[in-house]
Structure formats: C-alpha cells, structure tokens
C-alpha cells in the first residue's frame, strides 16, 4: 500500500510539470485504484475532463473505472462519446461491446438462465470488424473469439 501512495505522489508531481498531459493522470488514477481509493481517482479524472473535455485517453480510463465500479450507464455514455469523436478507433467499440456483454451475462445469471456470450459485432468499426474476422475466422466471434454457435 505504501508503494501505491508513493506512486500517486510521484504522478501528482508529474502532473504539475505537465498539466495538460493525460499520461500522468492515467498513472495517478491507476495508483489510486490499486490503493483502494477509487472515488478519489474518479474525482481526479472528472476534474481533469471538466477543463479538457476533448481528451479521449482520460475519458477511456474513466469509463473503464466506472464500468468496474458497476456504473454501466455512465461508462456506456463515455464510450459512446468516444466512438462519436473517434469513429475509426476500434478499442472504443470493443470496450463498449464487452461492457454490454458483461451486463447481459449478469442479467442472465440473475434470471437463472445459462449465460451465453452475446456480442454486438455491429459495435465494431467496419475496419475492425474486417480485421477481427480475418484474424479469428468467420466461424468465431470477433470480440471474444468463441465459436459462433456459443454467441448470439
């Protein structure tokens, strides 16, 4: 725990030197989350984004933290903003697809139904969809690479 606190202080010092750079902020957020201070990491990211709303890296980090915290609506909104701002970046589509499939799997377990992988391949950008299909073969899901028979 002490190392995470020391790392957070080092990233804070780096942020003072480079206040517009999202990399020290990402390191600070990771350190805070690892130290169990997720709420502080979320506050730091939101404060940064209020002054610089066009920083996709900070939005992506915040969306990931919110998704892990269970705030799917806020994470979904951030991923949608990222996709609208950067439609050619495939990682945003994949993150949103994974968020949606994880939520559906949880809902299936709660309802007592067997959880099946469900992916919206339309969430992938056209370029990413083509590369993924070529990489894993047409009979596999381009998001999770499971056999198509297990994916709805």
């Amino acid at each position: 725990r002490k190392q995470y606190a020391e790392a957070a202080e080092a990233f804070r010092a780096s942020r003072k030197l480079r206040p517009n750079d999202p990399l020290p902020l990402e390191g600070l957020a990771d350190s805070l989350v690892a130290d169990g201070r997720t709420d502080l990491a979320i506050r730091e990211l939101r404060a940064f984004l209020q002054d610089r709303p066009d920083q996709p890296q900070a939005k992506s980090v915040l969306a990931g933290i919110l998704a892990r915290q269970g705030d799917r609506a806020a994470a979904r909104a951030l991923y949608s903003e990222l996709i609208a701002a950067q439609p050619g970046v495939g990682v945003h589509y994949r993150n949103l697809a994974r968020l949606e499939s994880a939520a559906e799997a949880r809902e299936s377990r709660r309802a007592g139904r067997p959880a099946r992988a469900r992916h919206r391949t339309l969430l992938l950008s056209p370029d990413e969809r083509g590369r993924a299909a070529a990489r894993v073969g047409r009979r596999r899901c381009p998001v999770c690479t499971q056999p198509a028979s297990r994916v709805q």
Side-chain angles (χ1 to χ4, degrees):
R1 284 195 156 249
K2 183 178 178 183
Q3 290 176 338
Y4 293 128
E6 290 172 359
E9 290 307 314
F11 284 118
R12 280 192 181 97
S14 179
R15 279 194 65 208
K16 288 179 185 174
L17 296 173
R18 300 183 311 183
N20 293 325
D21 188 358
L23 287 176
L25 178 67
E26 183 179 351
L28 174 62
D30 289 342
S31 299
L32 292 171
V33 168
D35 197 26
R37 299 185 293 168
T38 305
D39 292 340
L40 182 57
I42 292 170
R43 280 197 307 270
E44 292 272 353
L45 286 161
R46 285 189 170 147
F48 180 83
L49 286 169
Q50 276 189 338
D51 296 335
R52 299 161 201 88
D54 60 334
Q55 288 285 344
Q57 189 172 356
K59 277 186 186 178
S60 183
V61 171
L62 178 58
I65 292 172
L66 291 171
R68 286 190 298 276
Q69 287 296 105
D71 192 351
R72 291 190 306 269
R76 187 178 300 115
L78 284 170
Y79 286 135
S80 296
E81 286 178 28
L82 287 164
I83 289 168
Q86 297 178 314
V89 179
V91 71
H92 304 318
Y93 295 90
R94 281 195 307 274
N95 287 339
L96 182 58
R98 286 183 179 133
L99 175 71
E100 295 294 335
S101 66
E104 289 177 6
R106 275 192 295 278
E107 290 169 13
S108 292
R109 283 193 298 272
R110 280 191 203 125
R113 296 186 310 260
R116 290 180 59 128
R118 291 181 162 211
H119 300 296
R120 310 276 194 279
T121 55
L122 294 178
L123 290 174
L124 296 174
S125 68
D127 291 342
E128 188 66 22
R129 210 176 307 137
R131 285 193 304 268
R135 187 174 59 242
V136 299
R138 299 261 177 224
R139 289 179 275 168
R140 294 191 171 271
C141 172
V143 175
C144 68
T145 70
Q146 289 188 23
S149 62
R150 296 193 56 209
V151 178
Q152 291 183 342

